[in-house]
Every structure is written in structure tokens, then in C-alpha cells.
Amino acid sequence: MHPSAHIDTFARDNLPPPDLWPDLPQPADTQYPERLNAAVELLDRMVERGFGDAIALRTDTAACTYYQLYVRVNQIAHVLRSRMSLVPGNRVLLRGSNNPMMAACLLATIKAGLVAVPTMPLLRAKDLVPVVVRAKVSAALCDSALRDELDALMRETPSLKQAMFFNDDGGTPEALETHLAAMPTRFAACDTSQDDVALIAFTSGTTGTPKGTMHFHRDVVAMCDLFPRHVLRPQPDDVFCGTPPLAFTFGLGGMLCFPLRVGASVVLLDRGTPETLLAAIQRHRASVLFTAPTMYRQMAGLAGQFDLASLKKCVSAGEALPDATRQLWKEATGIEIIDGIGSTEMIHIFVSSPPEAVRRGAIGTAVPGYRARIVDDEMNEVPPGTVGKLAVQGPTGCRYLADERQRDYVKKGWNLPGDTFTMDADGYFYYQARSDDMIVSSGYNIAGPEVEAALMLHEAVAECGVIGVPDEARGQIVKAFVVLQPGHRDDAAMAAALQEFVKQTIAPYKYPRAVEFRDSLPRTETGKLQRFRLRTL
């Protein structure tokens, strides 16, 4: 590793032992200089290249140019280093929804050589305690709308000694805006190494206790130079829009870093409904959309009510994209969704395909710069068409913050995201299930997402989740939790109809032997279904 600029060496000290790291091949796209600051690459370089007057960030009420964002980032960086007396390597908790000040605070933290620890805005103090404790966070920048929970958090975690609140015009000493006007408009970026930690992103908790994933400055830049460059192919005149939070690496890329890397702009929205997202696309003439499969399904039936002529590319990630949803959206808009699988551990998408290369039922192929294979329990590569574990290598990879689970995620130099796949002879990957979501019933392996995809084809089904539950005779049986569309009765007749529908759609032995109707399903803030919570219902 290169000499660090961090004075507080906590992050580097708590990286996994080198022998537990994945192999990190660096293709030509990710060859960077030894000294690298991700915020400089994403913002300062764009101003230098003549994008200063171009719009960077948009909201329903305002717009911010690249130069204006550059100035605001510099001023916040001065507050962090001088007013708050933070030193390179200190961790900063970032709390806020998708808005320009949250974006500026994130970039300023990285530019100042501090380690950004962004967190989902809906998390409560009790959810944040382990994040603060594990990452030894001492300072926070928080949206004033979330102050109550941060105040509660500071009472519970004495190590979190100071905080400033943005989007606060109250003029108090704790309001970030109070100090900005007095700060210089230029800031000498911290001379960070490419392998200094810039970001600790915590996993979204779909399988229980969140893990802290550590990403270097080079990783933040690399995620912009792989999937976007080779699959999404954005242009400076693109307008990005979507729902993933900036605290989620899917959102960090799609809602900030990817557009900045090419001189495009992004519409930052608070949490939206299908109607408000479609309205934003129409109002801002958005051309690139990032959101989750559930949102695409909900928007498909409403798309005809809005002018979506500007929309050119749509990206789905975060959870499996049912083919029924892909086809509904294509019928409604004419747009082929760009599906992708990524992980917080790998920072962003590593398997995907551009629209013209989509193969029905497949997520895609390995994104250039990554390689992927299907392996068995001994890490041996299996033949095409064989169900096995997805293994990935590339310029980004898993490095957990002081967590024994590193040994489970990385084996023999390969990242194991925990997904079961098949791969065809042409290198297309077909999702089966999370490895811990495979259902074994009477000796048959049944992938829960396949049953979910079949159920979603039924006109009465709005949402569903499928798990295996214990059964004396069969070991496990398939159980479906179903949210119905309005106007349908949640009775025994409907359950029987859905069971018969699945039998006619996929192999009959895969049908759900138990059906439970629910008003809603447990999901993370990023929209992922929490199957582990279904098992406790």
C-alpha cells in the first residue's frame, strides 16, 4: 500500500489482513496515480475541464452549477478541518435524504481526507449506535430534519462528540450554513493516497447485522469508470433521476458520482412515490433513471399518464428484477431495463448488459474490468448450466471493517456475494436466489425468486415474498407471502387460484404449499425484501 495521508490511522489499522483480501486486478480503465482524491476527480477536474457553468445538481426549486457546488464543497471542507478541528482519517457520520447539501457534505468529507460514513435517513438512533461504535465515529453532519434522532444518538454514544446541522437557516452555532459565508472558496484537497479509505458503507441489513465495507479513493473513482463507461454510457447532456439514497452505494453512484464523472446533472429527490418520480422525470426531462424493481412495477401502470419522451435509459438493481416487471415496463415505455447485480462490498454493479445485448431471463455478463464464474462449495468452477455460487474478481472488492465475516465473503482471492446463479455458454448469468434462500423440499432445490417471478405474473399480485418453512414430511415447504392488488379478496379461493397458477407457469413441484396474505412486506429503506424477517412472522 502507498503512504497514507491519514493522521488518524483507524481505518487502515482495521482493514482485514492482506491474506484475506480478494485479488484486485486493475484493468486499463482503473489505472490511477498514487496520490488520488476521489472528490477532486469528480468535481475539481470537471471545473478545470470547462464544466463550471453546467448544471450539476437539480431540485424542484433550484439548480446548482459545477462551480457553485465546488465552492460549497470547499467551504464545508474548511468547516470540517478548521471549525470542527477534524484531522485526515477521522470518521464523519453523514445523515440526510437526497438533497444538494447532503451531496456537498459527502464530497467535502472526502476532499478533506476524512472518512465518510453515510447512513440511511430513516434509521433510528438505536440502529445507528452500532455504526458509530464500530466505526469509532466522533463527528456528524446531519440534515436538520433528522436532528431529533441524532441528538438521541449522541446521548447514547459519548464518542460522538460534535455535530453540525445543514439545511438550517436558524443562525445558531450548530447550523452549518452559519459558518459557510466566512470560509474561503478554495480548499487545498488532502493529498490522499489512492488506497486511503474514503468511505465506510454499511450493508443494508437484509440478512441481519449490517457490516461496514471499506472503500478506497480509487474504488469510488473506479465504480464510475466501469459499469457507467461500458454499459450505461452516459453523456454530458444526460439528466439523471431516481430514488436510491446517497447512503446506499447504488445511489451514491447513480445519484451523484456517475453524473459528475461525465459532466451531466442529477435531480435529487426526497423519498418519492411512483407518481412523484414519474412527475419529476416529466418536469426535469430526465433521461437516465435509477430505481428498484418494485418501483418499476408500480410505475408501469401509471406511465401513460406522463410525458416520458426524454427518458432513454433505466437501471434496476438492489434486488432481483422479475421478468414480468421488465416486460411491463417495456410495454409501457418501450425501454429495455438495464438490470444489474452489485453489492455494497464491491461498491457497485459488476454483472450487467447494455439494452442491445439483453438476454431474456439473464441479468447480463461480467462488466468489463470484472470477471465472474460459478463455483461449487470447494471453489471449483462448474460447467455452464450448473447451479452454483457466484464468484467475482475485479478492481473493487470486499474489505470489511474488523469483521470475521471477511472469511466467508472472500475465498481463494474471489468475492462471494452470497448469490446462487447459473451461467450459460455465452457468459450470461441467471439469478436463482440468495444462497441462504434456496429451499430444499423433498430433495428438490427450489429458488424462491423463481416462484416469486411466477406469482408476479398473476394480475391479482402486487408484491410477494417466498421462503422455505420447516415441514416434517418434506424438510421444507414453499411458503408465499402475498400483497394483493386492490379489489381482490384475500381468501382461500384466491390462495388456491395462485397455487394453481404457479403450477401452470413453472414446474408444479415448486408451487407454494402455503399462502399468507399481507398488507405489506418487510423491506429495507433501499427497497430490498427482508426475507429473514418473513421467517419470523
Side-chain angles (χ1 to χ4, degrees), residues 27 30 46 90 137 144 224 243 248 257 306 362 387 396 503 525:
T30 62
M46 301 310 293
N90 287 163
V137 177
S144 60
C224 303
T243 59
F248 180 31
C257 297
F306 297 86
V387 175
T396 63
K503 288 180 185 179
E525 193 175 343

Side-chain angles (χ1 to χ4, degrees), residues 469-513:
V469 296
D471 179 78
E472 279 192 20
R474 295 180 172 83
Q476 287 182 306
I477 61 168
V478 177
K479 180 174 182 178
F481 294 82
V482 176
V483 179
L484 293 175
Q485 298 279 12
H488 294 275
R489 294 174 61 87
D490 56 352
D491 54 18
M494 175 57 73
L498 293 177
Q499 289 171 322
E500 184 61 28
F501 182 81
V502 173
K503 288 180 185 179
Q504 298 301 319
T505 305
I506 57 178
Y509 68 85
K510 299 179 181 181
Y511 86 94
R513 294 176 182 270

Side-chain angles (χ1 to χ4, degrees), residues 188-208:
C190 185
D191 186 30
T192 44
S193 163
Q194 63 163 265
D195 49 21
D196 275 331
V197 175
L199 171 74
I200 301 177
F202 278 80
T203 58
S204 57
T206 55
T207 58

Side-chain angles (χ1 to χ4, degrees), residues 243-266:
T243 59
L246 291 173
F248 180 31
T249 54
F250 180 44
L252 177 65
M255 295 295 96
L256 184 63
C257 297
F258 295 173
L260 292 185
R261 187 64 166 162
V262 297
S265 67
V266 59

Side-chain angles (χ1 to χ4, degrees), residues 9-204:
T9 62
F10 170 85
R12 185 167 284 195
D13 294 344
N14 283 275
L15 287 165
D19 63 318
L20 296 182
W21 287 27
D23 292 342
L24 296 164
Q26 299 294 324
D29 288 330
T30 62
Q31 296 292 323
Y32 304 119
E34 176 183 327
R35 313 313 295 179
L36 183 79
N37 186 293
V40 170
E41 292 301 312
L42 293 172
L43 185 55
D44 299 35
R45 295 281 180 266
M46 301 310 293
V47 173
E48 293 168 5
R49 288 175 53 191
F51 285 89
D53 293 332
I55 301 299
L57 309 179
R58 302 171 184 267
T59 70
D60 283 339
T61 58
C64 171
T65 68
Y66 274 78
Y67 182 74
Q68 288 170 328
L69 179 59
Y70 164 82
V71 168
R72 182 51 50 94
V73 165
N74 289 343
Q75 291 171 323
I76 297 170
H78 277 292
V79 171
L80 289 164
R81 292 287 297 275
S82 59
R83 181 81 187 185
M84 299 179 77
S85 301
L86 298 176
V87 300
N90 287 163
R91 276 74 58 213
V92 178
L93 190 75
L94 292 161
R95 304 275 298 133
S97 59
N98 287 10
N99 60 66
M101 278 299 289
M102 176 65 176
C105 286
L106 207 159
L107 291 166
T109 299
I110 293 173
K111 188 169 186 176
L114 306 164
V115 179
V117 186
T119 54
M120 301 297 180
L122 289 186
L123 293 179
R124 301 287 188 159
K126 64 180 179 59
D127 304 312
L128 295 167
V129 167
V131 171
V132 171
V133 171
R134 185 175 286 266
K136 288 188 165 50
V137 177
S138 62
L141 295 178
C142 179
D143 194 309
S144 60
L146 304 176
R147 177 159 190 164
D148 288 349
E149 289 298 328
L150 192 79
D151 287 342
L153 177 65
M154 294 183 75
R155 290 192 294 270
E156 294 183 41
T157 52
S159 63
L160 185 55
K161 294 180 169 57
Q162 57 176 329
M164 283 200 176
F165 299 90
F166 54 86
N167 293 327
D168 183 345
D169 297 324
T172 66
E174 292 177 323
L176 182 58
E177 283 85 350
T178 300
H179 309 282
L180 295 181
M183 295 295 162
T185 58
R186 293 187 176 274
F187 178 85
C190 185
D191 186 30
T192 44
S193 163
Q194 63 163 265
D195 49 21
D196 275 331
V197 175
L199 171 74
I200 301 177
F202 278 80
T203 58
S204 57

Side-chain angles (χ1 to χ4, degrees), residues 270-294:
D270 284 335
R271 285 176 62 87
T273 65
E275 292 86 355
T276 59
L277 182 53
L278 288 165
I281 295 167
Q282 174 179 288
R283 187 164 53 252
H284 294 279
R285 313 308 299 151
S287 57
V288 180
L289 176 63
F290 277 66
T291 193
T294 49

